[in-house]
Amino acid sequence: DKNTVYQEGQKQTYLDPATVKVFPYVYVVDKAGIWVYGTGYYMRVDKTDADPATFSVISHGYGKDKNNTYYFAQKIVNADVQSFTLLRGTSYPSSEGLASSWYAKDKNSAYYRSGVIQNADVQSFVFLGNEYAKDKNKVYYEGKILVNADANSFALADGYAKDMNHVFYGDKILNIEIDPSSFVVVGGGAIKDNRRVYFQNYYENKYDLAIGGDAPTFQHVGTCASVEKSSGSYFKDKNHVFTQNFSSGNPVNPVSQIDISSFQYFGDYGVAEGMPYSVSYAKDKNNVYRSCGEILNGADTITFSDLKDGYVKDKNKVWYLADLISGADAATFQSFGEGYAKDKSHIYFAGAIIEKADVATFTLVKENVAANEYGSVYAKDKNHVYSGSVIVEGVNPTSCTTESIENCSPNPGS
């Protein structure tokens, strides 16, 4: 307001409200100077000695004025302002990738954060991604020389890196027998070459060799999960379907009852949607499977289908997160998404009947947001507005619309 600047409800007494301007990415300017807010473990505010009249932001954490370049509040000593540029990596094609790069260079030097990378060849210096950079002579990780890396053959490898001699994870050479020329990341914690498959053991900081899999055809299928096991995966090769083994010994187990030739994976639902657990479904010619190879008893493999959103059905039954919905009519059952479903007689939320819901007029009301964003979700029928399975009291269903979704709340505008 005219007297005070506030950040998250707290007065910022060091700022002048008449001249304050907030830049994207940590910087704020007023007549007294340039400030960096939200830095450090205690979210302190630091003042730079930059010139307010000529200051501009380069990218997240970097700024400049007519004379100097800054990394947060720290002046980058001897950096050339006119030629200073932040480096974009090959793995960051979008503009957001700039925030992931702490490498920069000017006509004289290459930099990591605010420090000069000593003896780097500026002309050939490039940022690769994942904290790796290189010039014609050396490879760097987090601004330091990566010992034993060959610059000519060095390349990123899906979270790892490799050259003609080694495979790297961060700044470490993998201490396992693995061929860099055929190295690939399988997914689900697995890596392989053309002869061996390994699993990264995060708890013991090592790689466990998988026994019994055919390395050339070994691949990650997807997450297999349930309330009881929320972080497993299916894998397969030309001979078997495997699941992860979280106990000691071989990191994968072949699932003997699964027929590899007819195996079909439907995906998982739950954790990605914000739930504390998830469930996955798969089938072959003999069985339907929940979790990691567990048979879903009573399911008909021929008519089984995934309705998404955690719901599945066959010609006779309907399940939600692998729990049977007793009495649901399979022939008319369909999912709305967002946990809602219906059959000819009932509306369901999270697999349970909403007793007062009107089937004929029931519909979802979703906030208009980008495809990759979450927005408010309500449901309504001719009589009520619902949040989950709960009736929102005091709200007229006709006023609850996508265009006016704030009217769906019991306290519009809050």
Side-chain angles (χ1 to χ4, degrees):
D1 60 22
K2 67 178 182 178
N3 301 313
T4 308
V5 178
Y6 303 85
Q7 182 192 22
E8 296 183 355
Q10 302 299 312
K11 291 182 178 181
Q12 307 299 303
T13 56
Y14 61 92
L15 290 171
D16 173 51
T19 59
V20 68
K21 178 182 178 182
V22 178
F23 285 95
Y25 309 124
V26 310
Y27 289 105
V28 60
V29 60
D30 68 0
K31 66 180 182 181
I34 303 294
W35 309 78
V36 181
Y37 57 91
T39 59
Y41 183 80
Y42 294 103
M43 299 299 287
R44 70 178 186 270
V45 177
D46 295 320
K47 187 177 186 296
T48 77
D49 61 358
D51 173 43
T54 61
F55 185 81
S56 62
V57 172
I58 299 172
S59 185
H60 179 79
Y62 289 91
K64 67 179 181 179
D65 63 14
K66 63 181 179 180
N67 297 314
N68 297 294
T69 303
Y70 297 85
Y71 171 73
F72 289 88
Q74 185 176 3
K75 184 187 297 182
I76 302 177
V77 179
N78 296 326
D80 180 72
V81 175
Q82 298 303 317
S83 60
F84 188 91
T85 182
L86 208 62
L87 299 182
R88 184 192 299 253
T90 56
S91 63
Y92 300 110
S94 67
S95 60
E96 288 78 7
L98 289 172
S100 298
S101 171
W102 300 117
Y103 286 96
K105 70 179 182 179
D106 61 20
K107 65 180 182 180
N108 301 312
S109 302
Y111 305 87
Y112 181 75
R113 299 186 184 268
S114 61
V116 173
I117 301 175
Q118 298 296 329
N119 302 316
D121 182 74
V122 175
Q123 186 173 358
S124 62
F125 191 93
V126 293
F127 170 54
L128 301 175
N130 296 337
E131 300 290 352
Y132 293 104
K134 73 175 184 177
D135 60 22
K136 66 179 182 179
N137 301 311
K138 296 180 286 291
V139 178
Y140 306 87
Y141 182 76
E142 293 184 346
K144 299 177 182 178
I145 294 173
L146 187 61
V147 178
N148 295 323
D150 176 71
N152 289 329
S153 59
F154 191 89
L156 299 187
D158 196 11
Y160 292 76
K162 65 180 183 178
D163 64 12
M164 60 189 296
N165 302 308
H166 305 291
V167 177
F168 301 85
Y169 187 70
D171 61 348
K172 302 291 191 300
I173 295 172
L174 295 194
N175 188 27
I176 55 177
E177 186 179 359
I178 195 160
D179 172 39
S181 65
S182 61
F183 170 84
V184 294
V185 176
V186 177
I191 59 175
K192 71 175 185 177
D193 62 14
N194 58 7
R195 294 177 55 201
R196 297 155 289 245
V197 178
Y198 294 93
F199 280 78
Q200 188 173 15
N201 187 326
Y202 296 97
Y203 299 103
E204 299 183 19
N205 192 28
K206 65 176 185 176
Y207 288 82
D208 296 325
L209 180 65
I211 306 299
D214 178 69
T217 61
F218 193 89
Q219 59 184 285
H220 179 237
V221 176
T223 301
C224 63
S226 68
V227 176
E228 297 81 14
K229 181 185 286 188
S230 60
S231 59
S233 283
Y234 280 117
F235 299 88
K236 71 176 183 178
D237 64 13
K238 66 179 182 179
N239 301 311
H240 302 289
V241 174
F242 302 85
T243 59
Q244 281 174 309
N245 178 11
F246 291 93
S247 60
S248 60
N250 195 23
V252 288
N253 292 326
V255 186
S256 58
Q257 73 264 26
I258 296 181
D259 176 69
I260 181 63
S261 63
S262 60
F263 180 73
Q264 183 179 359
Y265 172 72
F266 291 100
D268 71 296
Y269 171 80
V271 173
E273 291 73 26
M275 300 176 65
Y277 53 84
S278 62
V279 67
S280 63
Y281 300 102
K283 75 173 185 177
D284 62 13
K285 65 182 181 180
N286 301 312
N287 298 295
V288 175
Y289 304 94
R290 63 180 287 266
S291 185
C292 297
E294 299 175 17
I295 294 174
L296 185 63
N297 291 322
D300 178 68
T301 185
I302 296 175
T303 59
F304 182 86
S305 63
D306 184 9
L307 304 179
K308 306 302 181 184
D309 203 36
Y311 291 99
V312 293
K313 72 175 185 177
D314 64 13
K315 64 181 180 179
N316 300 312
K317 303 181 184 71
V318 181
W319 293 263
Y320 179 73
L321 299 185
D323 290 329
L324 182 67
I325 303 177
S326 180
D329 181 68
T332 60
F333 196 94
Q334 57 185 287
S335 172
F336 287 105
E338 308 295 343
Y340 292 99
K342 74 173 184 178
D343 62 15
K344 65 180 181 179
S345 303
H346 298 104
I347 298 294
Y348 302 82
F349 180 76
I353 293 172
I354 304 177
E355 294 292 349
K356 294 185 178 181
D358 179 70
V359 175
T361 60
F362 192 89
T363 186
L364 294 192
V365 182
K366 301 175 68 173
E367 186 176 6
N368 281 322
V369 294
N372 60 344
E373 297 179 358
Y374 290 102
S376 298
V377 178
Y378 295 88
K380 70 175 184 178
D381 58 21
K382 66 179 181 179
N383 301 311
H384 303 291
V385 173
Y386 304 86
S387 177
S389 59
V390 178
I391 294 174
V392 182
E393 299 290 351
V395 176
N396 186 340
T398 59
S399 65
C400 174
T401 65
T402 297
E403 294 74 23
S404 301
I405 200 162
E406 66 276 3
N407 293 332
C408 305
S409 167
N411 301 299
S414 63

